[in-house]
Amino acid sequence: MSLRPFNESDLEAVNRLHRSVWWPERSAAGWRWLMANPASAEIEAPHGWVIDHGAGPQAFVGNFIQRFWRNDQRLHAATGYSIVVPPAQRGRSRSLINAFVDQPACFARYTLNANARSSPLYKRHGMVPWPPNTHTLKLSWLIDPVACLYGRGLREVVDRAPALARLLGEQLSPLPRLRGERRLRQAESRLPGGVSLNPDLSERSDYARFWTALRAEGRLTADRSPDIMRWRLSDPDLTVPPLCLAYRDGGRLTGFAVAMLNKQTPLEPPVLEIIDLVALDNDSTAIQALVEGLRRMAPALGAAKVRLQVVSPDLLAALGRLGQKAWREGGWGHCHIAFDDEMQDAGWRPTPYDGDYSFCLRPLPARASAALRLASAPMRAQTMEARA
């Protein structure tokens, strides 16, 4: 059969497939990190599938397993990512998606990151738009409108001359305006009340107590335990350390956010992507303070905007006026899910953390990220200390 599980010998061929559609490639270390996902081994799930007629992979879909909790019940779900089917393999997307949707031991198989072209494919495989009412919605808060307009203009030019974009690539892209450690520290000093940077993620930290309280709420929640969170934030392909914010009420950690810098295409300015945004009881005060904190940090990181790629109805309500002021992006169903029948009404409120955003982002190029890595060294040292 030409369909088989993805394995480590396929890495270079899969990177070539990514390169052919101008998607970011992963290093060998980055692939090994992703394939060391602790949850995959718990249900013996493959890391993806390839179409291979004997000469190596000709098409690919990734398979990322997430551990979930509902009270003390441990569950698993699967995120499909980076489906690449070249024109020569037209029609083979059906077998790849079927392999993903039909896999056992997962209460849901989903993508939270479909583009406008691939979105219609998933409906043909029994996947439904999810969450209700917000599956087409992305929210963004502009930080540098000029940089955003410049990136949009470049996209329009390249749409007419794609060969030029492939030739020049990052040379066309606006670089973030980095101003070093002083600017970062000034931004940190302006964080909203109750919000702090880079909380301790060790096993006996207040973050660990936050996770225990979040899990005790009984809602279906992706695993955010300290060990899993440390692993998720340790992707070796990240060129800039993740930004983690905590919200505390009365000294108790009650909200948590993670953001990462991303260049959606080589031509666009950096965007600060909200990877996780969660609070006990979905508290609106914590949610809004965390987003406002990210907005205040974004200029020092050179981000043109802050974006939330996955929005549940409950999260939209918690954002309140802050959500009403945001730009509406998207417009197509970027979230599609195939549920087990008994799980469709389980009250799942996904964030981008539940999908593939953290490891499918395009890192900043070396010429931009080197300066930022140096500037953020104190913040990175705190995070590494917590991981240890």
Side-chain angles (χ1 to χ4, degrees):
M1 292 181 63
S2 60
L3 177 71
R4 63 169 176 80
F6 166 60
N7 60 58
E8 195 165 348
S9 67
D10 299 323
L11 301 186
E12 181 52 40
V14 170
N15 270 339
R16 283 197 299 270
L17 288 170
H18 280 66
R19 198 179 311 138
S20 71
V21 292
W22 217 16
W23 287 356
E25 303 171 42
R26 295 194 65 82
S27 68
W31 279 116
R32 285 194 293 270
W33 168 84
L34 188 57
M35 297 171 82
N37 175 9
S40 295
E42 293 174 352
I43 58 172
E44 299 183 354
H47 300 290
W49 293 268
V50 297
I51 300 295
D52 182 357
H53 301 301
Q58 303 298 311
F60 169 76
V61 63
N63 187 46
F64 180 73
I65 302 299
Q66 285 241 59
R67 182 192 302 141
F68 282 74
W69 293 94
R70 185 172 60 176
N71 295 314
D72 290 329
Q73 182 184 15
R74 184 175 64 176
L75 301 163
H76 296 88
T79 300
Y81 67 94
S82 297
I83 180 167
V84 187
V85 182
Q89 300 296 320
R90 190 177 302 278
R92 300 313 301 267
S93 60
R94 178 180 297 275
S95 57
L96 287 170
I97 297 176
N98 281 343
F100 168 73
V101 172
D102 293 341
Q103 67 181 303
C106 293
F107 76 83
R109 287 76 61 200
Y110 57 87
T111 177
L112 304 183
N113 195 6
N115 57 38
R117 180 175 296 180
S118 66
S119 180
L121 289 174
Y122 300 106
K123 297 178 184 178
R124 302 172 194 168
H125 295 267
M127 301 176 78
V128 298
W130 192 269
N133 306 319
T134 59
H135 61 274
T136 63
L137 182 62
K138 302 172 186 278
L139 299 179
S140 65
W141 293 268
L142 296 185
I143 303 298
D144 188 342
V146 174
C148 291
L149 285 172
Y150 179 75
R152 183 181 301 176
L154 281 177
R155 287 198 304 273
E156 291 177 357
V157 170
V158 170
D159 283 344
R160 296 176 174 84
L164 179 64
R166 292 180 182 274
L167 178 64
L168 297 178
E170 296 284 359
Q171 297 179 47
L172 289 172
S173 175
L175 287 176
R177 287 176 280 185
L178 306 175
R179 302 185 182 178
E181 182 181 341
R182 181 180 177 184
R183 182 76 182 271
L184 287 165
R185 291 305 173 196
Q186 288 175 343
E188 184 180 359
S189 69
R190 294 195 297 268
L191 289 172
V195 177
S196 60
L197 188 64
N198 287 330
D200 179 7
L201 300 178
S202 66
E203 298 297 330
R204 297 184 179 180
S205 63
D206 56 354
Y207 174 81
R209 291 186 286 274
F210 164 74
W211 163 243
T212 299
L214 184 67
R215 181 174 156 183
E217 290 183 349
R219 53 176 156 155
L220 183 63
T221 305
D223 193 314
R224 292 171 169 84
S225 56
D227 59 332
I228 286 292
M229 186 60 70
R230 293 195 302 269
W231 176 75
R232 283 289 291 269
L233 300 182
S234 66
D235 183 350
D237 283 348
L238 292 175
T239 59
V240 178
L243 182 64
C244 299
L245 297 182
Y247 178 82
R248 289 178 174 83
D249 182 10
R252 179 189 181 211
L253 198 157
T254 61
F256 181 69
V258 176
M260 298 178 181
L261 285 172
N262 174 41
K263 283 174 63 64
Q264 188 158 308
T265 71
L267 303 177
E268 296 183 61
V271 175
L272 188 61
E273 305 281 6
I274 300 176
I275 300 301
D276 200 13
L277 181 61
V278 64
L280 298 180
D281 299 317
N282 204 39
D283 178 63
S284 59
T285 301
I287 293 292
Q288 293 175 35
L290 289 166
V291 173
E292 183 58 33
L294 293 173
R295 292 174 67 195
R296 295 184 187 183
M297 292 295 296
L301 296 169
K305 61 183 174 182
V306 177
R307 179 163 53 200
L308 179 61
Q309 299 259 21
V310 177
V311 186
S312 70
D314 290 339
L315 185 54
L316 184 61
L319 285 167
R321 290 178 59 83
L322 194 59
Q324 296 169 14
K325 294 178 180 178
W327 286 88
R328 264 58 177 166
E329 296 189 13
W332 62 88
H334 54 277
C335 303
H336 290 85
I337 298 179
F339 279 109
D340 284 351
D341 292 341
E342 69 275 12
M343 296 298 293
Q344 187 156 350
D345 297 321
W348 181 31
R349 303 190 295 216
T351 74
Y353 176 83
D354 300 30
D356 63 357
Y357 286 98
S358 66
F359 56 88
C360 282
L361 303 182
R362 183 186 301 276
L364 267 65
R367 60 190 177 127
S369 61
L372 190 52
R373 284 200 305 273
L374 290 172
S376 61
M379 293 191 293
R380 186 172 68 255
Q382 292 175 30
T383 305
M384 294 302 293
E385 183 179 349
R387 289 175 192 161

